[in-house]
Amino acid sequence: MDRYQRMELDFEHLEEQQEYLVRMKGLLAARLGVPLAAVHSYGCQGNAADTERIKGLLAQMGYRFTDDLDRADLILYNTCAVRENAEDRVFGNVGALKKRKEQKPDLLIVLCGCMTQQPAVAEKIKKSYPYVDLVLGAGAYHLLPKLLYDRLTGGKRSFTLLDESPLVVENQPVSRDGGCKAWLPIMYGCDNFCSYCIVPYVRGRERSRTPAHVAEEARRLLDEGVKDITLLGQNVNSYGKGLEGAPTFAGLLEELNSLPGEFRIRFMTSHPKDCTRELIDTIARCDKVCKHLHLPLQSGSNRVLREMNRRYTAEQYLELVDYARETIPGLSLTSDIIVGFPGETREEFEETLGMIERVGYTSLFTFLYSRRSGTRAAQMEDPVPQEEKSRWLRELLAVQEPIGMGVHQAQVGETLPILADGLGKTGEGMLCGRTDTNIIVEFPGSPQLIGQFVMVRITQARNWALLGERI
Ligand code: SAH
Ligand code: SF4
Ligand code: F3S
């Protein structure tokens, strides 16, 4: 038995949703002709994938998309709560919508996602942002057609937040932005409750899509010409928990790897505590799975890791890394690091530096600790001044820079298959793509090559990318 409610919108719910999609389409066409929506996604790839589903619904209502807020009839922000600066940016941008609403009273303003799932934030929007029409928590997106319809036909502004977002909603339309690359969510929510992190509170309990639904979506993407699929979950290594037949992430990778065609599979994020040797063996064996592990360390100090509730030690992490390096030749490792966790000492920070030097990451995502109210760490004493933490962060970046550059330089002279996925940034006539190990590569080529694998010889390393030439 599933531990949560599985909602496949294929029966009455889907019918009801369809009904409102059709009603909305008629209403919008009559009022606006071609309605325009400006949709912006903050935060992680999981949010980006949700946004593609929200846009899928909007597209079925007849909306076309624009980046020009002046022309938009609907402005929707899918928000992120992971750090304070993410929230500040959203509040800033929502504040700026007040004027627009005054000038254009028919403008619809919708706030979705993680931020709105926090009671205090929902309250603040209620009180201080009266011009926001709809608030829709993460996991309630399938209700958007009805909620929009109700609002447009004279209903009050509404707040729809799900207590534990207990749903897995299938059979939803998707409007993708990624061209030959696609996000593919395999699970939602998180059960880990790392002590600094808001995600489990705003995203609800961990729940997986069935392997059949994932494989079906992968097949559809491949039929559409997608050649680079990134599987998404907060902790993909615990995929399948609670599902019938106890499928595993390794098994899912194997199944997707066996689909026909030339394509790549990437995935994130791997939690070290659930990263098994079986999974590493599977990555090594599967030719379409990229040789890249994003394995967030967060801290190199065992005391801090314990306080973070990460449930691994630095030694266990290193053992895993050593096994992965032995088993997967050419493996690239990347990580997330938090600097300045409450009570972290200078010595403990130095242990993190030691780990960074020992592991040799290709690149790092580094964050200054941000207090999230409601989390356990928010109650902890936090004596180190912000300025000191910022100094530590700069020091850490200075340690990582030559390490990353070394990894990049080691690629010079290699010839690699690269999926050309867009125009390059380094100049006219350049294309870009990513290596199997997730490093950006730029090379000269005609835009017609976008969407194809080409062989590229790496000629130069920069700290943010590789440069190469087609052969
Ligand atoms: N599920 C993923 C991470 C999702 S959040 C994992 O466990 O690895 C992405 C990153 O944001 C985290 O890895 C962490 O480094 C950072 N992060 C999360 N909460 C934070 C906070 N309160 N302050 C600073 N960084 C935080
Ligand atoms: Fe947050 Fe930890 Fe869950 Fe990642 S595993 S989303 S850091 S609680
Ligand atoms: Fe942010 Fe929510 Fe993702 S808090 S990082 S958008 S899961």
Side-chain angles (χ1 to χ4, degrees):
M1 263 293 282
D2 292 352
R3 291 172 304 144
Y4 47 84
Q5 190 185 347
R6 175 169 299 283
M7 186 160 162
E8 297 182 11
L9 289 190
D10 33 14
F11 305 112
E12 73 223 68
H13 289 106
L14 195 62
E15 246 170 53
E16 188 190 68
Q17 192 189 60
Q18 274 302 326
E19 190 189 313
Y20 279 103
L21 284 172
V22 171
R23 283 195 204 176
M24 272 299 287
K25 191 166 185 174
L27 189 68
L28 289 170
R31 285 193 193 171
L32 298 167
V34 180
L36 287 177
V39 177
H40 187 72
S41 194
Y42 299 81
C44 63
Q45 292 87 345
N47 234 26
D50 283 347
T51 302
E52 293 183 341
R53 282 160 162 79
I54 292 169
K55 287 176 78 174
L57 289 169
L58 292 174
Q60 296 223 336
M61 296 175 216
Y63 280 102
R64 306 263 176 85
F65 299 104
T66 178
D67 291 330
D68 182 355
L69 296 185
D70 288 335
R71 293 174 61 214
D73 304 297
L74 177 149
I75 297 175
L76 183 148
Y77 292 147
N78 197 13
T79 64
C80 169
V82 78
R83 282 170 294 275
E84 197 177 352
N85 54 11
E87 293 199 344
D88 289 348
R89 255 193 314 146
V90 172
F91 276 128
N93 290 346
V94 175
L97 296 180
K98 185 176 178 192
K99 265 228 168 71
R100 288 184 190 279
K101 184 85 167 192
E102 283 165 7
Q103 286 158 0
K104 187 173 176 179
D106 288 342
L107 175 67
L108 278 172
I109 299 176
V110 183
L111 286 188
C112 297
C114 295
M115 234 174 108
T116 66
Q117 282 284 149
Q118 302 169 94
V121 171
E123 206 44 45
K124 179 165 168 182
I125 298 168
K126 231 174 232 167
K127 287 221 178 82
S128 310
Y129 300 84
Y131 49 91
V132 172
D133 292 286
L134 292 183
V135 172
L136 203 55
Y141 307 132
H142 57 286
L143 302 172
L144 186 62
K146 177 177 188 323
L147 295 172
L148 277 177
Y149 184 81
D150 289 347
R151 178 64 174 157
L152 279 180
T153 52
K156 286 210 180 81
R157 67 197 296 239
S158 70
F159 287 69
T160 308
L161 307 175
L162 296 187
D163 280 353
E164 286 251 300
S165 358
L167 305 174
V168 176
V169 179
E170 297 292 355
N171 303 321
Q172 293 293 281
V174 185
S175 171
R176 294 191 313 102
D177 293 326
C180 56
K181 297 185 292 186
W183 307 122
L184 176 41
I186 63 169
M187 60 203 297
Y188 304 100
C190 181
D191 282 351
N192 290 308
F193 290 95
C194 301
S195 63
Y196 49 81
C197 185
I198 195 76
V199 171
Y201 301 91
V202 295
R203 283 276 172 173
R205 298 291 56 76
E206 182 180 295
R207 52 213 185 270
S208 299
R209 300 176 72 190
T210 65
H213 278 124
V214 175
E216 184 195 292
E217 187 165 344
R219 257 186 240 110
R220 208 172 44 237
L221 291 171
L222 297 174
D223 285 347
E224 286 170 16
V226 166
K227 296 206 164 85
D228 187 315
I229 296 178
T230 303
L231 308 177
L232 296 176
Q234 292 298 351
N235 178 9
V236 292
N237 300 344
S238 69
Y239 171 80
K241 250 197 321 183
L243 282 186
E244 215 170 290
T248 62
F249 183 55
L252 184 71
L253 280 182
E254 202 109 43
E255 180 175 348
L256 298 177
N257 191 68
S258 70
L259 295 175
E262 189 187 23
F263 66 97
R264 279 184 178 149
I265 304 166
R266 303 177 191 270
F267 58 88
M268 67 190 313
T269 294
S270 280
H271 195 304
K273 83 176 162 63
D274 298 311
C275 188
T276 60
R277 291 193 169 205
E278 184 206 0
L279 174 61
I280 290 170
D281 296 343
T282 306
I283 297 168
R285 202 169 46 238
C286 290
D287 58 324
K288 290 168 186 162
V289 175
C290 287
K291 309 308 174 213
H292 168 223
L293 254 190
H294 182 62
L295 198 63
L297 170 68
Q298 312 298 0
S299 165
S301 147
N302 285 338
R303 191 197 68 82
V304 174
L305 286 171
R306 211 166 37 244
E307 289 296 307
M308 286 178 163
N309 192 31
R310 289 291 287 180
R311 285 174 282 172
Y312 52 82
T313 62
E315 292 74 21
Q316 285 164 337
Y317 185 96
L318 282 178
E319 217 178 282
L320 197 62
V321 161
D322 288 344
Y323 182 75
R325 287 231 190 267
E326 267 164 41
T327 315
I328 311 170
L331 176 72
S332 163
L333 283 158
T334 56
S335 198
D336 294 351
I337 304 280
I338 296 177
V339 172
F341 182 80
E344 181 177 53
T345 64
R346 172 73 205 181
E347 289 70 33
E348 288 164 342
F349 165 70
E350 284 172 8
E351 289 182 76
T352 302
L353 295 183
M355 284 290 277
I356 289 170
E357 284 171 327
R358 164 75 162 76
V359 175
Y361 294 108
T362 305
S363 60
L364 292 178
F365 296 90
T366 52
F367 308 103
L368 275 178
Y369 169 74
S370 169
R371 192 178 164 279
R372 305 284 64 208
S373 96
T375 62
R376 206 151 56 71
Q379 312 290 329
M380 298 177 187
E381 283 204 38
D382 192 1
V384 177
Q386 207 62 15
E387 262 175 35
E388 179 75 6
K389 292 182 180 184
S390 298
R391 262 199 301 278
W392 292 358
L393 180 59
R394 284 195 296 275
E395 204 177 320
L396 187 150
L397 293 173
V399 167
Q400 171 58 26
E401 197 186 297
I403 298 173
M405 191 62 188
V407 175
H408 284 192
Q409 262 155 359
Q411 305 288 313
V412 174
E414 299 278 328
T415 299
L416 307 167
I418 304 291
L419 174 63
D421 64 27
L423 296 176
K425 293 196 185 88
T426 45
E428 189 87 3
M430 297 296 278
L431 298 180
C432 68
R434 280 177 302 163
T435 62
D436 216 28
T437 53
N438 212 29
I439 305 172
I440 296 170
V441 184
E442 296 221 347
F443 51 93
S446 111
Q448 279 158 345
L449 291 171
I450 293 174
Q452 291 176 40
F453 283 98
V454 292
M455 293 307 287
V456 174
R457 198 170 65 86
I458 306 301
T459 53
Q460 267 185 66
R462 301 264 169 94
N463 57 7
W464 62 276
L466 301 170
L467 302 183
E469 59 196 18
R470 266 180 68 216
I471 58 157

